[in-house]
Amino acid sequence: MSNFLTKLIGSRNQRVVKRLHRIVDAVNALESDFEALDDDALVAKTQEFRERLEAGASLDDISAEAFATVREASKRILGMRHFDVQLIGGLVLHQGKIAEMKTGEGKTLVATLTTYLNALPGDGVHIITVNDYLASRDAEWMGRLYRFLGLSVGVIYSGQDPQGKRAAYACDITYGTNNEFGFDYLRDNMAFSPGDRVQRPLNYAIIDEVDSILIDEARTPLIISGPTDDDPATSQHVDRLVKHLQPQEEEEGPGDYWPEEKNKQVFLTEDGHQKVEGLMRDAGLLEAEESLYDANNVALMHHMNAALRAHVLYQRDVDYIINDGQIVIVDEFTGRTMPGRRWSDGLHQAIEAKEGVKIQKENQTLASITFQNFFRLYDKLAGMTGTADTEAFEFQSIYGLEVVVIPTNRPLVRKDLPDQIYMTGAEKFEAIAEEARQASERGQPVLIGTASIEASEVLARLLRQRGIRHEVLNAKQHKREAEIIAQAGRPGAVTIATNMAGRGTDIVLGGNIEEDIEALEEGDEVGRQRLREAWQQTHDAVVEAGGLLVIGSERHESRRVDNQLRGRSGRQGDPGASRFYLSLEDSLMRVFTPPRLRSMLQNLGLEKGEAIEHKWVTRAIENAQRKVESHHFDIRKQLLEYDNVANDQRQVIYEQRNEIMDADEVSDIVENIWGDVVDKLISEHIPPQSLEEQWDVEGLTEAIQRDFGQEMPIQQWLDEEKTLDEEGLRERIGARLKEAYDAKREEAGPETMAQIEKAVLLQVVDSLWREHLASMDYLRKGIHLRGYAQKDPKNEYKREAFEMFNDMLSRLKHETVTVLARGRVRADITDEAREDRRRQMENLDFQHAEAASAAEQAAAAAQAQSEGASEDAAADEVARANLPGTDAPAERVPGDGDTRPETFVRNERKIGRNEPCPCGSGKKYKHCHGRD
């Protein structure tokens, strides 16, 4: 029935596109009128539109005329005319939706339409890209169009000075990366004065490659951290010990440790524990009678776990590279390097020790936010990509963004060939190299997509052995990736690239001649014509050879990444082909495909070098990918549910900071806090409505001396004045304390005291917020264990986080009043505070932690459920793999919490000995879990 209705009235996507055609027709009708305008008249349209908006018109009212303006300006400045499908894409972006447009359909040009329209009110538009190169390239390329129309354009980048950033954000249009926009938001909320902030209110953002940013990179939060007091030398000591340990060949065999590849963990055996303790005693890290599991040695066990994982599970040139003496993480999705990002929980330090580079200090979290919560701060959000439809449900449910698939300008004629499966990885790579050789010899360009740097280098070696000229594009050649990709369409060219490298740069059949044309002298039309004629011949030869051949060296965990790789071929109706080569040793095949499929393939008795090609196998692989995608969605959803708790608290703190910072003076805030603290202090020792025999006068006198530095003869007052009651005593104490503070304010002067009060408030807020973030991290590490007690970890987390936040607010009031009451008045205190903040900001580390692999997450869930946890607890176990500071198993932190034994309180009904066991085994409780 639903299929019949779809055929009758069209799908939701078709109806949306059809409605937009009416506006496209209006834009086309205006084209001849705008062509008749001279440059000055066309530029004057910008001011005209702004005046109409100030007079009450809406952006929708002027959208057709604005789009016609941009189209005509583009023809004159860039030499490019927007196609009708590009106008549809621009309208989709203006409506705050995601436009899915195939590779080569001109998304960069599409963005100019809605960017111009939404920049007219002057509130700022942010264009968000995946790397700094694309941000600067697009700002320069499209900036010519915007500047011609009278709009200002800025670019933000890592390491930019605050003045440059502030100027870039003040522009009508600002380009930058997702990380930089997020970090600037966090830095602004760590600023010490309004002048230190760089961002304006977040108005409208267009995210290029929106699936990469809001899906792939959303599994881990952005974190700003600062150094702790941890000694880096400990990592070096432990690293030397790990080299003496031997792995188990089989699970119950001899050895010191055994790795779990799926879970990305390494576990010491009993023999391994004893050997490690002996080695640590010999090295002086453990006392003779101490155990590795003593409470004061938890940090040593933490270092040992990190060192084992660094040596056993993390490989150089696969998970990381070494660049300028530093460990640089390689993104598992894109193959790009991620400078500045660090693994948490000591793993990064362990890898630094392993590779013999300088060990950086471990950091503590100062500020953090997830991409989900950051981008939801924008008043309007839109995105564009070539692959979003498979994740449409997540975009809608988390971000409220509808995905609209835009039709291609020309029909897609690319041939997507069936997968070929080999028994071993070596056979697969040999087949890929041979296919590339044959294609290159017939003049067909080849793009080989790999999942790791290691695979790229294996294929490069095989191609060299065959004498095939090729380019290798991976994380080590990051700066050259756009140039290499731009020329990957030349006849017979062979390019090896990680799956998403060079994204944002088109592969033009015949190669890109723009740089050659720009190198010519200005006015050399003969040279330009000669170059274009030569390029046309080359282009025709490549088309005749079959267009670009895309070869995938393995399937990715996500269908989107595979589709992105395929999409490099067949742009704008060009011919092309794609095929994936797989082996049973590939991680996706090994971990996620059904064991019976692998057994069936192994039993076929294939000869070396033979391949299997069948739709059943392809279907099984796609089913495995769907499972992984669903699993990743659960991870991101779990992360968001936890961060929503912190986000509510973050908004409260940031709003309070901004109010304090923007205020000329905060004396009203201080007076309110002062009264609350004094009332609470008195009530702790003199309970309201209590008898005089219950009063702790001595304790109150000591507390006032301790917190306010004031001596008060309270007992003497009570002895001398028999009629002095509780209310009178409260008023007298409050009045005396206020008199003392007013005298201090008078001594310092109103202006100086106002600065001091503001500085103290900001410093106390920041200090306690840092401590609170650390406490929240510790809480998240262990909250999943509540699932074993049949409690919902998320509800427990919300409850405890709320209590911790209230406690922090109470401490904030108390510490602010204490510092102001006891502190020495100095006019230069605000300058010192500002200088301390400046030094702190220089030592910050900006992280977007690596997301755990699907194999690691799947194993975490399986382990939690196998140990008897509830389903919710299992899901939370998975989520821990992607939360900051949760790479190692949760362990008790020394000194964390009260060490006194707590009174046991039962939260559930007690189970009778003869009742059925609640575990579902069918046995009586006394014969099952009640035996102990």
Side-chain angles (χ1 to χ4, degrees):
M1 183 64 180
S2 61
N3 290 335
F4 171 75
L5 289 174
T6 299
K7 290 179 181 178
L8 184 65
I9 63 174
S11 66
R12 159 76 180 168
N13 192 86
Q14 291 169 333
R15 295 195 302 274
V16 169
V17 171
K18 188 175 180 180
R19 282 197 298 269
L20 295 177
H21 269 291
R22 291 196 291 269
I23 305 177
V24 171
D25 292 340
V27 176
N28 288 333
L30 293 168
E31 186 166 13
S32 58
D33 295 339
F34 279 76
E35 285 176 340
L37 298 174
D38 60 22
D39 285 355
D40 291 339
L42 189 62
V43 171
K45 283 290 181 181
T46 299
Q47 185 59 32
E48 177 191 324
F49 293 146
R50 285 180 162 166
E51 290 173 358
R52 287 169 61 183
L53 290 172
E54 289 176 2
S58 69
L59 290 177
D60 291 337
D61 295 336
I62 63 171
S63 60
E65 294 170 80
F67 277 32
T69 302
V70 175
R71 176 190 260 181
E72 182 59 29
S74 178
K75 285 156 58 177
R76 300 182 189 186
I77 302 302
L78 304 176
M80 295 185 286
R81 177 186 179 275
H82 294 80
F83 300 127
D84 286 1
V85 292
Q86 291 176 316
L87 296 177
I88 293 172
L91 290 167
V92 168
L93 295 178
H94 170 59
Q95 292 175 351
K97 299 176 182 177
I98 292 174
E100 181 183 291
M101 303 182 70
K102 300 299 181 188
T103 301
E105 291 294 304
K107 291 186 286 292
T108 306
L109 189 62
V110 167
T112 59
L113 297 162
T114 188
T115 300
Y116 172 76
L117 175 61
N118 284 271
L120 290 172
D123 296 324
V125 175
H126 294 169
I127 311 294
I128 297 166
T129 66
V130 292
N131 61 43
D132 288 327
Y133 166 76
L134 291 177
S136 58
R137 183 204 72 176
D138 293 353
E140 180 61 30
W141 186 15
M142 297 297 136
R144 293 159 52 202
L145 170 61
Y146 297 131
R147 293 186 185 98
F148 170 76
L149 290 172
L151 300 182
S152 55
V153 181
V155 185
I156 61 167
Y157 52 86
S158 179
Q160 190 175 16
D161 62 88
Q163 291 80 8
K165 271 221 169 108
R166 201 170 294 112
Y169 278 115
C171 291
D172 296 310
I173 302 158
T174 307
Y175 283 83
T177 64
N178 51 313
N179 284 355
E180 205 57 30
F181 280 108
F183 284 136
D184 283 342
Y185 170 76
L186 293 176
R187 276 188 289 250
D188 275 1
N189 284 286
M190 297 171 66
F192 204 71
S193 68
D196 295 335
R197 293 186 294 216
V198 297
Q199 282 187 341
R200 293 195 283 168
L202 303 177
N203 174 46
Y204 177 47
I206 301 173
I207 305 176
D208 192 12
E209 310 298 357
V210 66
D211 57 323
S212 175
I213 292 173
L214 295 190
I215 300 293
D216 295 334
E217 298 198 39
R219 287 161 58 193
T220 53
L222 290 172
I223 300 171
I224 294 181
S225 55
T228 64
D229 298 328
D230 194 27
D231 185 6
T234 307
S235 295
Q236 293 174 323
H237 294 315
V238 174
D239 181 74
R240 288 193 285 267
L241 303 184
V242 168
K243 297 172 183 176
H244 295 283
L245 304 180
Q246 300 298 322
Q248 281 185 325
E249 297 298 329
E250 53 187 41
E251 192 168 330
E252 299 299 328
D256 302 314
Y257 63 84
W258 58 278
E260 268 195 13
E261 185 181 357
K262 286 180 69 174
N263 198 23
K264 274 257 180 170
Q265 289 290 349
V266 182
F267 299 97
L268 287 172
T269 63
E270 288 296 327
D271 293 340
H273 282 302
Q274 295 178 11
K275 187 171 183 178
V276 166
E277 287 183 348
L279 290 169
M280 285 188 172
R281 290 190 185 100
D282 294 341
L285 298 175
L286 271 182
E287 298 295 331
E289 301 301 322
E290 284 186 333
S291 165
L292 194 56
Y293 287 103
D294 287 349
N296 58 329
N297 293 324
V298 167
L300 279 177
M301 191 65 206
H302 168 83
H303 281 289
M304 177 56 66
N305 282 331
L308 281 168
R309 295 174 66 215
H311 277 270
V312 178
L313 299 174
Y314 288 81
Q315 302 177 42
R316 183 172 175 173
D317 290 339
V318 176
D319 301 293
Y320 62 89
I321 63 172
I322 299 178
N323 186 23
D324 294 333
Q326 292 188 332
I327 302 297
V328 182
I329 298 173
V330 175
D331 191 295
E332 64 167 320
F333 295 107
T334 66
R336 299 180 190 273
T337 54
M338 300 190 289
R341 302 188 191 178
R342 295 176 65 82
W343 283 298
S344 55
D345 251 18
L347 177 61
H348 210 97
Q349 287 79 6
I351 293 176
E352 288 170 333
K354 166 190 168 183
E355 298 293 350
V357 302
K358 182 180 178 181
I359 300 176
Q360 308 293 328
K361 280 193 173 184
E362 194 166 358
N363 292 332
Q364 62 176 339
T365 300
L366 303 179
S368 72
I369 192 169
T370 59
F371 278 132
Q372 289 101 322
N373 278 320
F374 171 66
F375 283 115
R376 292 193 301 185
L377 294 172
Y378 280 89
D379 293 335
K380 186 162 78 169
L381 184 65
M384 51 190 183
T385 181
T387 48
D389 200 35
T390 57
E391 311 292 345
F393 175 75
E394 180 169 353
F395 282 125
Q396 183 66 58
S397 60
I398 291 182
Y399 301 98
L401 294 173
E402 181 181 356
V403 175
V404 179
V405 180
I406 311 299
T408 56
N409 187 47
R410 296 178 181 173
L412 182 67
V413 296
R414 184 187 67 235
K415 297 177 182 177
D416 293 329
L417 304 172
D419 297 350
Q420 288 197 346
I421 298 97
Y422 291 82
M423 293 297 293
T424 66
E427 295 173 43
K428 175 187 73 174
F429 288 131
E430 288 284 350
I432 292 173
E434 184 59 26
E435 176 73 16
R437 183 190 65 79
Q438 294 176 9
S440 180
E441 287 179 354
R442 62 177 177 262
Q444 185 176 17
V446 181
L447 174 66
I448 304 174
T450 65
S452 68
I453 299 170
E454 186 179 42
S456 296
E457 294 179 346
V458 169
L459 284 165
R461 186 175 66 251
L462 293 174
L463 291 176
R464 281 195 299 270
Q465 291 172 0
R466 288 167 169 77
I468 303 172
R469 291 185 60 184
H470 60 278
E471 290 278 7
V472 179
L473 171 59
N474 56 36
K476 290 183 176 179
Q477 283 88 32
H478 182 80
K479 293 179 181 178
R480 293 182 57 214
E481 70 175 39
E483 289 84 353
I484 295 174
I485 282 291
Q487 304 305 333
R490 290 188 171 177
V494 178
T495 308
I496 303 172
T498 49
N499 282 341
M500 302 225 319
R503 198 173 176 190
T505 305
D506 284 345
I507 300 178
V508 181
L509 298 189
N512 193 321
I513 64 166
E514 294 302 321
E515 288 187 9
D516 296 336
I517 291 176
E518 289 176 5
L520 294 174
E521 293 183 8
E522 190 172 348
D524 187 1
E525 293 301 325
V526 175
R528 292 181 182 220
Q529 185 63 28
R530 190 182 299 116
L531 280 174
R532 287 197 172 95
E533 289 174 357
W535 174 84
Q536 189 62 50
Q537 292 177 358
T538 305
H539 173 79
D540 293 342
V542 173
V543 170
E544 184 65 27
L548 179 67
L549 172 63
V550 170
I551 297 175
S553 65
E554 65 179 89
R555 286 280 197 169
H556 196 270
E557 290 175 350
S558 169
R559 289 172 295 164
R560 278 184 306 104
V561 179
D562 292 344
N563 292 338
Q564 286 155 9
L565 182 59
R566 286 191 197 273
R568 307 313 295 265
S569 175
R571 62 181 293 279
Q572 286 292 326
D574 287 339
S578 68
R579 187 194 293 275
F580 281 87
Y581 287 76
L582 315 175
S583 82
L584 297 184
E585 295 176 353
D586 293 348
S587 59
L588 187 72
M589 297 286 288
R590 187 178 65 249
V591 178
F592 291 103
T593 54
R596 67 178 182 276
L597 174 64
R598 298 195 293 275
S599 301
M600 179 187 73
L601 295 176
Q602 289 167 345
N603 292 335
L604 289 176
L606 294 175
E607 296 294 329
K608 184 177 180 181
E610 287 186 340
I612 300 167
E613 184 179 307
H614 199 284
K615 60 182 180 181
W616 287 357
V617 180
T618 303
R619 192 179 303 130
I621 294 167
E622 289 177 351
N623 287 336
Q625 288 176 308
R626 286 191 183 92
K627 291 177 184 176
V628 176
E629 288 166 3
S630 174
H631 185 66
H632 284 170
F633 171 62
D634 290 338
I635 298 305
R636 292 186 289 269
K637 188 178 178 184
Q638 288 284 339
L639 173 66
L640 182 61
E641 287 175 348
Y642 277 101
D643 192 63
N644 279 341
V645 178
N647 191 56
D648 294 339
Q649 299 176 0
R650 185 187 302 117
Q651 294 307 313
V652 171
I653 291 296
Y654 286 175
E655 285 174 12
Q656 286 189 349
R657 280 192 96 260
N658 289 333
E659 285 180 15
I660 294 169
M661 216 161 27
D662 293 335
D664 293 329
E665 60 175 43
V666 292
S667 56
D668 291 343
I669 298 174
V670 170
E671 285 184 13
N672 290 335
I673 291 175
W674 189 281
D676 292 343
V677 171
V678 171
D679 282 345
K680 183 179 178 185
L681 182 67
I682 296 174
S683 296
E684 287 174 355
H685 298 87
I686 301 179
Q689 310 298 322
S690 61
L691 299 174
E692 190 171 341
E693 291 77 10
Q694 297 174 294
W695 295 1
D696 181 7
V697 176
E698 184 179 350
L700 178 59
T701 305
E702 292 175 357
I704 292 173
Q705 170 64 32
R706 179 190 67 231
D707 293 346
F708 293 87
Q710 298 292 321
E711 292 186 7
M712 290 194 185
I714 299 176
Q715 187 62 57
Q716 182 180 339
W717 293 344
L718 292 171
D719 291 340
E720 293 175 354
E721 302 178 39
K722 300 300 183 182
T723 59
L724 186 61
D725 59 6
E726 176 197 332
E727 185 177 350
L729 185 60
R730 283 177 181 272
E731 290 177 358
R732 183 175 297 186
I733 293 173
R736 288 290 183 95
L737 292 175
K738 192 172 185 310
E739 285 173 12
Y741 186 66
D742 287 343
K744 179 179 287 190
R745 180 178 281 162
E746 189 68 27
E747 177 189 349
E751 292 185 4
T752 300
M753 203 61 191
Q755 293 180 353
I756 291 173
E757 288 174 341
K758 184 185 287 192
V760 168
L761 261 173
L762 287 173
Q763 285 185 312
V764 172
V765 167
D766 290 346
S767 175
L768 292 181
W769 179 241
R770 286 197 299 271
E771 290 180 18
H772 181 71
L773 287 175
S775 300
M776 294 280 280
D777 280 348
Y778 287 133
L779 178 62
R780 275 194 288 205
K781 283 183 181 181
I783 200 67
H784 68 288
L785 298 173
R786 307 289 176 89
Y788 297 111
Q790 305 303 312
K791 294 180 179 179
D792 184 346
K794 287 190 286 292
N795 288 339
E796 290 291 299
Y797 180 74
K798 291 175 184 176
R799 181 181 60 79
E800 293 208 15
F802 179 74
E803 292 174 358
M804 290 164 56
F805 187 67
N806 281 340
D807 180 59
M808 185 201 72
L809 294 179
S810 178
R811 288 169 56 206
L812 189 155
K813 293 179 179 180
H814 184 269
E815 290 195 20
T816 299
V817 169
T818 299
V819 170
L820 288 173
R822 297 188 61 88
R824 188 159 50 93
V825 175
R826 287 168 41 209
D828 61 345
I829 187 171
T830 54
D831 296 329
E832 279 192 11
R834 192 170 286 108
E835 181 63 20
D836 287 343
R837 178 55 52 89
R838 186 191 63 79
R839 284 196 296 268
Q840 182 193 55
M841 297 296 280
E842 288 177 352
N843 294 319
L844 296 181
D845 183 34
F846 304 97
Q847 308 170 33
H848 179 212
E850 182 206 32
S853 68
E856 180 177 350
Q857 300 155 5
Q863 180 180 356
Q865 287 188 314
S866 67
E867 293 177 0
S870 66
E871 290 185 10
D872 277 347
D876 288 307
E877 182 78 34
V878 175
R880 291 179 60 247
N882 289 291
L883 293 172
T886 56
D887 281 333
E891 298 167 328
R892 181 170 175 79
V893 181
D896 187 290
D898 198 342
T899 57
R900 293 174 297 177
E902 295 183 1
T903 304
F904 174 74
V905 179
R906 186 185 305 282
N907 292 322
E908 295 85 20
R909 181 183 67 82
K910 182 176 180 180
I911 302 168
R913 284 170 47 78
N914 290 311
E915 291 181 28
C917 185
C919 74
S921 64
K923 298 179 182 179
K924 289 185 177 181
Y925 182 67
K926 65 183 179 183
H927 293 141
C928 192
H929 285 81
R931 284 182 295 183
D932 297 333

